[in-house]
Amino acid sequence: QSGLTQPPSASGTPGQRVTISCSGSKSNIGSHIVNWYQHLPGTAPRLLIHTDNQRPSGVPARFSGSKSGTSASLAISGLQSDDEADYYCAAWDDRQSGHWMFGGGTKLTVL
Amino acid sequence: QVHLVQSGAEVKKPGASVKVSCKASGYTFSNFGISWVRQAPGQGLVWMGWVSPYNGNTKYAQKLQGRVTMTTDTSTSTAYMELRSLRSDDTAVYFCARVSVAGMDVWGQGTTVIVSS
């Protein structure tokens, strides 16, 4: 079972702003950086946000990340049809001798 | 440009082993770790472990301890993940990913492993 909790689905219309939440605990989000990944089935996951709120080069400014306490969020503004994908949060967890933990994933639908 | 290219799909019988490769290019291989992540059908991403090409150190997910071995060959800039005693619930797409200070930043295209009798 995933230790990071994400809503299974989210949706929005083109141009809208959508946020996806990721809830964890002191042993993961509360103590370590959070990354966000975009994943289209059949392709390689793409790093969207690292270190809570940093965008790698090439990722549009429409994508932003934030963190507060043991929760994190990914915001996508100016929603586009090709944003339709699965989104995962990830954080290191100190339990079980330490391991990377992913959220269960949120399927974003652009209506 | 950084690339990770993985080996092709595999079909294995229960109890067999599989070894997936991940060839890196576009960066100094020994300077970054390699993580392995898998995704079972209809499920999310699950971290399997990490290997350091610099010194061969490894860290595995507790659930896979004893069944998985991750290695690297710095002469060919290739990482390997071997999973033994395969079961049907090992059927998944397996990804390798480069590990930087920012976490897993570049991923391979994935390798489908099907375990079926």
Side-chain angles (χ1 to χ4, degrees):
Chain A
Q1 303 294 338
S2 171
L4 301 181
T5 302
Q6 296 181 235
S9 63
S11 63
T13 56
Q16 262 191 332
R17 183 176 187 271
V18 170
T19 61
I20 296 172
S21 61
C22 175
S23 177
S25 65
K26 187 177 179 181
S27 64
N28 42 67
I29 294 177
S31 302
H32 301 285
I33 62 168
V34 176
N35 288 357
W36 289 90
Y37 297 91
Q38 180 189 59
H39 188 212
L40 287 157
T43 69
R46 175 194 183 195
L47 178 64
L48 276 184
I49 298 289
H50 69 85
T51 320
D52 300 340
N53 55 20
Q54 302 298 302
R55 277 178 292 106
S57 60
V59 174
R62 303 187 296 108
F63 295 91
S64 62
S66 63
K67 186 175 87 171
S68 178
T70 58
S71 293
S73 290
L74 172 71
I76 308 171
S77 59
L79 202 60
Q80 299 177 0
S81 57
D82 58 3
D83 294 333
E84 188 160 296
D86 297 321
Y87 292 83
Y88 293 89
C89 58
W92 184 260
D93 190 289
D94 292 326
R95 296 170 295 182
Q96 297 176 12
S97 304
H99 63 287
W100 274 99
M101 178 174 280
F102 289 92
T106 298
K107 181 169 181 57
L108 175 64
T109 301
V110 180
L111 302 168
Chain B
Q1 199 169 10
V2 176
H3 284 296
L4 298 176
V5 178
Q6 300 182 221
S7 49
E10 304 261 13
V11 179
K12 296 291 183 180
K13 294 194 181 303
S17 299
V18 69
K19 192 169 187 177
V20 178
S21 68
C22 169
K23 184 169 176 61
S25 62
Y27 71 97
T28 302
F29 183 63
S30 57
N31 286 356
F32 297 83
I34 296 285
S35 270
W36 290 87
V37 174
R38 69 180 181 178
Q39 183 178 36
Q43 304 297 311
L45 302 172
V46 177
W47 182 78
M48 299 177 67
W50 163 90
V51 58
S52 166
Y54 176 73
N55 57 16
N57 284 353
T58 55
K59 187 170 189 62
Y60 302 136
Q62 276 197 353
K63 182 181 177 184
L64 295 173
Q65 288 272 5
R67 282 210 301 140
V68 68
T69 302
M70 296 176 187
T71 57
T72 61
D73 180 347
T74 54
S75 69
T76 60
S77 298
T78 303
Y80 298 92
M81 185 284 298
E82 181 180 32
L83 189 59
R84 300 176 293 279
S85 302
L86 289 169
R87 311 186 291 243
S88 58
D89 62 356
D90 291 317
T91 293
V93 178
Y94 289 76
F95 296 97
C96 61
R98 189 182 76 163
V99 181
S100 69
V101 292
M104 291 167 274
D105 62 352
V106 178
W107 295 57
Q109 84 278 18
T111 296
T112 298
V113 175
I114 296 173
V115 182
S116 174
S117 54

